[in-house]
Amino acid sequence: MSAESARRAKSSVWREPGLARLVVSISISQLGTAITGVALPIFLLDRFGLGLDFGLTLGIRLIPNIVLGTVVSEVVRRRDPRAVSVLASVVSALLAIAIPFTGALWQIQVLSFLIGLTTMFLAPARLALRTRVTPDGRELESNGLIVTAQRVASLLGPVVVGPTLAFGTISMLFFAEAATALIAAGLLLGPFPGPKDEPATTAGTAAPRLPKSPPGILRLLFLDNPRDLLSIIRGDGMVFGLTLTAFTYVFVVGMNSVFVPAFARIRFPEIDGMLGYLIAAMGLGGAVGGILAGRLTRFSPGLMYILGNVLEAVCWLLLLLAHQPPLAIGLLVAGGVLESVATAVYMAEVQARFTERELTHYYSMLLPTNDVFVLLGATVAGLLVAPGRLGVSVAVIAGVMAVPILLLTRSFFAPRPERTTAARTKGAVPAADAAG
């Protein structure tokens, strides 16, 4: 290790150029998302009640990324991800302002769909920026910091909702999401670190050609992408296991987007703010878990990932026995801790194994499929969740979360490949260049 590398390893990762600004930007953006995550279910439940439409409306924002996410990520890969992130945040802010002025469910669904069209640019852009500001070898620390910031924001979101509803109107909450999106965009303006990829990685490489016809787009989405994704992950057992369990885990995320509001309404109908308390509990646990993940660098990441997911599944099972608010809140705090540790491990291990271009291509194929599973989860929950059927929902959540992890246990102990300069230069993502 060089003297410069040794010095940076001892210094606070927070001091890395651009990292603090990106973390704060992500955190503020997540704060707006967390506020809406509480406000929108309340808005829908009060006006339209519980049912399949409730789950579909919450999930409709994902449809644009499901259909166009791969193409969008290829566009991001050829543009400045910072500029893409700023523009998408501004447009989504303007659309969010219109939600409280709607009078029909279809209007909310149209606005959610349009917001999805803009926010589908954000994930690949911010993931590329995360790679730029993370020092090699300190991926778990950096991602632990980012996960902590996200979970703190998730904790603060419900805290903002309570006083706002007590002294104002629900419309103010949607204005708050717009304001946070604009602030998050502003924080990314100004000087920022450039790509880490070696110039040889992109030199002489033709820009990827995007399909220009609907059949070409369908072929890219449903034939080329699964094949390319499999070719990328099959040579690394850890990435293979992480990718497969990412699909099942986000299915649970989709279920929880419907289950948690319904659980709060069914189990604790006498407590108006119970949904906010439950979401805040997950945020509090997530913040603690993010901090904890950055301090667990000496432990096996595979073991942390397995325990994080399996023990979180146990917390969800125990939630069925929680008939008192403190117990339900405590279980979700514990679940949030475990979820954040597992998430930080996932992000760190995937990031450590790919260059920026490889990582962008990986997520360009992963994220649309993830959103398919999120939407499926929300739809399934909309069908399952009802008074007297909470046990079925909890069993499905816990089973989908834990069983795939246990079946793929051996994958999570595959060693991390060395990432030398030569290797980084060689990893030019040929599959991405052939995607068109």
Side-chain angles (χ1 to χ4, degrees), residues 38-358:
V38 179
L40 186 57
I42 293 174
F43 188 76
L44 292 172
L45 285 171
D46 287 345
R47 293 198 178 189
F48 307 105
L50 188 64
L52 180 59
D53 287 341
F54 176 67
L56 290 176
T57 303
L58 292 178
I60 201 169
R61 186 180 297 202
L62 305 173
I63 292 178
N65 196 46
I66 293 171
V67 178
L68 298 172
T70 301
V71 178
V72 165
S73 294
E74 291 297 334
V75 172
V76 171
R77 199 165 65 88
R78 296 186 296 170
R79 300 288 187 270
D80 180 2
R82 188 159 55 110
V84 171
S85 181
V86 169
L87 180 60
S89 295
V90 171
V91 175
S92 66
L94 297 177
L95 291 169
I97 293 174
I99 291 178
F101 299 104
T102 57
L105 186 62
W106 70 266
Q107 295 172 338
I108 300 175
Q109 293 170 341
V110 168
L111 285 173
S112 294
F113 183 85
L114 293 176
I115 290 174
L117 283 175
T118 62
T119 56
M120 68 181 175
F121 289 88
L122 287 175
R126 286 176 176 168
L127 286 165
L129 294 178
R130 184 181 301 196
T131 301
R132 294 186 182 186
V133 300
T134 300
D136 292 339
R138 306 187 71 179
E139 291 84 6
L140 185 56
E141 292 177 76
S142 298
N143 281 280
L145 185 63
I146 293 171
V147 169
T148 299
Q150 290 175 316
R151 300 311 188 265
V152 168
S154 297
L155 169 63
L156 294 177
V159 174
V160 172
V161 170
T164 302
L165 292 179
F167 299 102
T169 65
I170 198 167
S171 300
M172 298 173 63
L173 298 174
F174 295 99
F175 282 101
E177 181 185 9
T180 55
L182 294 176
I183 295 171
L187 286 168
L188 295 180
L189 300 176
F192 205 82
K196 287 184 178 181
D197 287 356
E198 298 289 337
T201 302
T202 56
T205 302
R209 298 184 303 276
L210 302 180
K212 296 182 179 180
S213 64
I217 293 176
L218 291 175
R219 184 179 67 251
L220 176 64
L221 291 174
F222 298 109
L223 293 178
D224 296 341
N225 282 348
R227 182 192 61 217
D228 289 353
L229 180 61
L230 180 61
S231 69
I232 287 176
I233 68 176
R234 66 184 177 186
D236 188 324
M238 181 67 155
V239 174
F240 182 84
L242 291 172
T243 302
L244 293 187
T245 55
F247 296 145
T248 54
Y249 188 78
V250 296
F251 178 88
V252 171
V253 170
M255 287 197 67
N256 286 342
S257 69
V258 176
F259 173 78
V260 174
F263 177 80
R265 180 64 64 93
I266 294 170
R267 181 61 61 87
F268 305 104
E270 71 282 2
I271 304 176
D272 293 334
M274 192 61 190
L275 174 59
Y277 298 142
L278 294 178
I279 294 177
M282 292 187 286
L284 174 61
V288 174
I291 296 172
L292 183 62
R295 301 177 183 274
L296 296 176
T297 55
R298 295 183 180 181
F299 294 90
S300 164
L303 182 60
M304 288 193 292
Y305 187 74
I306 293 169
L307 291 178
N309 282 283
V310 173
L311 293 179
E312 185 188 356
V314 173
C315 289
W316 285 101
L317 282 175
L318 293 176
L319 191 65
L320 189 61
L321 305 177
H323 293 274
Q324 298 298 323
L327 180 56
I329 291 171
L331 286 170
L332 290 187
V333 169
V337 172
L338 296 162
E339 185 272 337
S340 278
V341 171
T343 298
V345 169
Y346 171 85
M347 301 300 295
E349 289 301 307
V350 171
Q351 182 175 312
R353 286 167 159 80
F354 294 128
T355 66
E356 179 180 320
R357 294 183 73 244
E358 290 171 332

